[in-house]
Amino acid sequence: MRSDTNFINNEFFHSDKAELVSVFNPANGSQVATVQAATEDDVLHAIKSATLAQKAWRKLTSTERAQYLHRLADKLKTQSPMIGKALADESGKSLEDATNEAVYAGEITRYHAEWARRIEGEIIPSDTPSENLLLQREPIGVVACLIPFNFPVYTLLRKIAPALITGNTVIIRPSNNTPCSAFEIAKAVQLAGFPAGVINIMTMSHATAEMVCTHPNVGMITLTGSVGAGRKVLEYSQVNIAKSSLELGGKTPAIIEADADLKKAAREIAASKTTHCGQLCTAVERVYVQESVYEEFITLLKAEFNAREFGDRSLNPSVMGPLINESARINIHQMVARAIDDGAKLEIGGYIPEGAGHFYPPTLLTNCRQDMEIVQEEIFGPVLPILTYKTSDEALELANDHQFGLASVIYTENYRTAMKVANNIEAGEIYINRTPADPYQGYHAGWKRSGLGGDDGKHGMLEFTQTRLVVLNY
């Protein structure tokens, strides 16, 4: 069993006063690690280190900062077997998927390194003839990065790479469910030769996380998490008016038109719903099927769900893995039970398996209504409610009738229908004839309660900057 300490000022810092956090493998319930939880002294040490380091880090040219990021991308690739092993043990992912996540994290790091020569300001015409207005982009300072459990390696680099290239330093809180992979990343940071204090990684309680987020030296908080966590971050940000970037809940609707390739749609939606046991922010969470093809599509989707087995992916990588913990499994099962009590029909799944591990079977619910909890609230598991519609206008209205607006999907061969939905969907992303995958050169940003700001691409990089207007009179 491994034991980890927090990474502060470029070294692993042991504290005699720290409480221990236990980390468990969700596939079999075995304890895989103990991790020291940051003390208040650790937090102050990290904030002081990040603050001092940022003064020098921001003065480097962006191309110099990019060299560090390129080296980190190289080390993430070479260290991917170790990062992947830690991630697989704490998350229940297959070793291959976990290792590939580390490799992909290296690629998004390299992508953001390439912004070095493209962080642009503006020259704006002035009303005064002998005057220029220069708008500069500057770093914010110290950024608190709050990382989720579902894709903790990729999301960690998704947050810190744009923060670092723009001249910020970071304090990272990985999920207490999946902290070990973050400390393997810290080893890659050391190997890449980053200056002390630029990257700090700590396991934290809610109290110490609040201490970080409300400290006056922390200028920005970036989170991927639940709406509840987002509300808490907004409370924290009020203390010092820190900038917040929030990627929150999702309830991706998938619209299946009568002219869609139904086999393709069923196959891809089933894969979306069962990848990492449905624990994806953009996984399809509700399906609207044109009533003329409903029976055919349900038959295809049931076959796809029936073909998905679940189990320990360290023993059989081809099966669907577990939910992150028992609390998640109980919550999901209770949602399914309430949906059935409210009139939904259980087509497949919907039970708690016997034995070790937090497994839940692929579950399909039909005869659902728009006002049901199972349609209105994020499930974050392998459960899929199905509804029908008559016209594409009705489907669009149902898709938009929601508190969330992160991603959306439509399957159709009619480009007019596709463009009508694309131009009117109330979501930050729409995927046409495919399921979501968050291209890192795009912009992953939610509408409504799905968040503020966003990640990826040019606009995600610029989230980590603030502006200065220089009024130059000559």
Side-chain angles (χ1 to χ4, degrees):
M1 184 173 68
R2 64 182 289 154
S3 178
D4 288 297
T5 58
N6 292 305
F7 184 69
I8 305 172
N9 207 32
N10 221 32
E11 61 182 6
F12 289 94
F13 189 81
H14 178 83
S15 173
D16 294 329
K17 301 177 182 179
E19 295 183 1
L20 295 179
V21 175
S22 297
V23 182
F24 297 92
N25 185 323
N28 55 37
S30 65
Q31 186 173 350
V32 296
T34 57
V35 180
Q36 287 196 343
T39 65
E40 291 187 3
D41 287 343
D42 295 338
V43 167
L44 293 175
H45 182 197
I47 293 172
K48 181 179 179 180
S49 300
T51 302
L52 291 174
Q54 201 269 334
K55 296 181 185 300
W57 182 250
R58 72 182 301 276
K59 290 181 180 179
L60 296 179
T61 66
S62 55
T63 53
E64 289 175 314
R65 294 194 294 266
Q67 290 173 12
Y68 285 102
L69 287 175
H70 279 299
R71 287 201 294 271
L72 179 56
D74 292 339
K75 298 306 177 184
L76 288 169
K77 185 173 183 179
T78 59
Q79 297 294 110
S80 62
M82 285 71 79
I83 299 171
K85 176 64 166 62
L87 178 57
D89 286 346
E90 66 190 358
S91 70
K93 295 184 180 186
S94 71
L95 182 59
E96 180 182 7
D97 283 356
T99 302
N100 285 341
E101 184 175 333
V103 173
Y104 197 41
E107 290 304 307
I108 196 170
T109 302
R110 203 177 301 282
Y111 167 80
H112 281 292
E114 294 296 332
W115 281 110
R117 293 184 174 91
R118 299 172 179 84
I119 304 171
E120 301 169 341
E122 298 176 32
I123 300 175
I124 304 169
S126 173
D127 292 343
T128 302
S130 59
E131 189 172 84
N132 287 333
L133 306 181
L134 311 177
L135 190 67
Q136 301 174 336
R137 289 279 179 180
E138 293 289 338
I140 291 171
V142 178
V143 179
C145 304
L146 310 181
I147 309 302
F149 70 82
N150 56 341
F151 287 89
V153 171
Y154 178 73
T155 307
L156 192 154
L157 275 304
R158 184 189 216 180
K159 298 290 190 185
I160 75 168
L164 295 172
I165 194 60
T166 49
N168 304 281
T169 54
V170 295
I171 298 174
I172 302 157
R173 184 205 183 187
S175 166
N176 287 2
N177 290 302
T178 54
C180 301
S181 52
F183 293 119
E184 288 296 329
I185 292 171
K187 296 174 184 178
V189 170
Q190 285 183 320
L191 292 171
F194 271 81
V198 171
I199 300 173
N200 306 274
I201 304 174
M202 299 187 293
T203 303
M204 302 183 213
S205 65
H206 291 306
T208 48
E210 179 178 1
M211 188 176 174
V212 170
C213 293
T214 57
H215 194 280
N217 287 14
V218 173
M220 179 176 175
I221 311 167
T222 178
L223 162 79
T224 294
S226 67
V227 173
R231 289 193 176 107
K232 184 61 68 174
V233 166
L234 290 177
E235 289 179 19
Y236 296 159
S237 68
Q238 292 178 30
V239 176
N240 295 299
I241 319 299
K243 182 176 183 179
S244 298
S245 179
L246 309 175
E247 195 260 276
L248 306 178
K251 192 72 179 176
T252 301
I255 297 171
I256 312 299
E257 283 284 279
D259 62 353
D261 184 334
L262 299 182
K263 290 183 179 180
K264 179 177 187 290
R267 181 177 65 252
E268 292 179 355
I269 289 173
S272 171
K273 194 72 270 190
T274 56
T275 296
H276 198 29
C277 205
Q279 298 170 120
L280 292 81
C281 299
T282 56
V284 174
E285 281 256 335
R286 50 194 170 116
V287 177
Y288 300 98
V289 187
Q290 209 284 326
E291 61 183 15
S292 67
V293 295
Y294 172 76
E295 295 296 338
E296 182 182 358
F297 182 74
I298 290 299
T299 300
L300 292 168
L301 194 58
K302 282 180 67 174
E304 292 288 345
F305 269 49
N306 269 313
R308 260 62 175 189
E309 298 179 352
F310 59 87
D312 189 337
R313 301 192 72 199
S314 68
L315 304 176
N316 183 356
S318 66
V319 298
M320 183 182 76
L323 294 162
I324 191 62
N325 53 38
E326 188 62 15
S327 176
R329 180 163 75 162
I330 291 172
N331 180 62
I332 288 169
H333 187 60
Q334 290 175 344
M335 287 183 74
V336 171
R338 288 193 293 269
I340 294 170
D341 288 344
D342 200 20
K345 178 183 177 183
L346 179 64
E347 297 285 351
I348 183 174
Y351 63 93
I352 293 182
E354 296 181 355
H358 309 304
F359 298 105
Y360 200 78
T363 298
L364 193 62
L365 295 167
T366 57
N367 199 38
C368 296
R369 301 187 314 274
Q370 184 73 4
D371 64 348
M372 284 181 170
E373 175 197 36
I374 204 79
V375 177
Q376 290 296 322
E377 298 295 336
E378 186 174 31
I379 303 166
F380 221 63
V383 177
L384 191 60
I386 312 295
L387 299 86
T388 62
Y389 67 90
K390 296 181 183 295
T391 67
S392 60
D393 286 340
E394 181 189 0
L396 180 61
E397 182 178 352
L398 291 168
N400 286 340
D401 178 27
H402 214 278
Q403 61 179 317
F404 295 127
L406 188 58
S408 56
V409 172
I410 182 169
Y411 284 89
T412 180
E413 296 301 312
N414 187 319
Y415 80 93
R416 295 181 187 277
T417 300
M419 288 310 304
K420 179 177 68 175
V421 172
N423 289 336
N424 291 280
I425 195 73
E426 294 173 3
E429 301 173 359
I430 182 165
Y431 294 79
I432 300 172
N433 292 325
R434 59 163 295 178
T435 51
D438 298 355
Y440 51 64
Q441 65 271 47
Y443 186 47
H444 182 60
W447 291 21
K448 302 178 182 178
R449 293 184 184 176
S450 288
L452 298 171
D455 295 310
D456 303 335
K458 174 182 178 180
H459 300 286
M461 177 270 295
L462 291 177
E463 286 284 327
F464 295 90
T465 67
Q466 57 190 345
T467 59
R468 178 193 297 119
L469 181 66
V470 178
V471 181
L472 178 61
N473 187 280
Y474 57 91

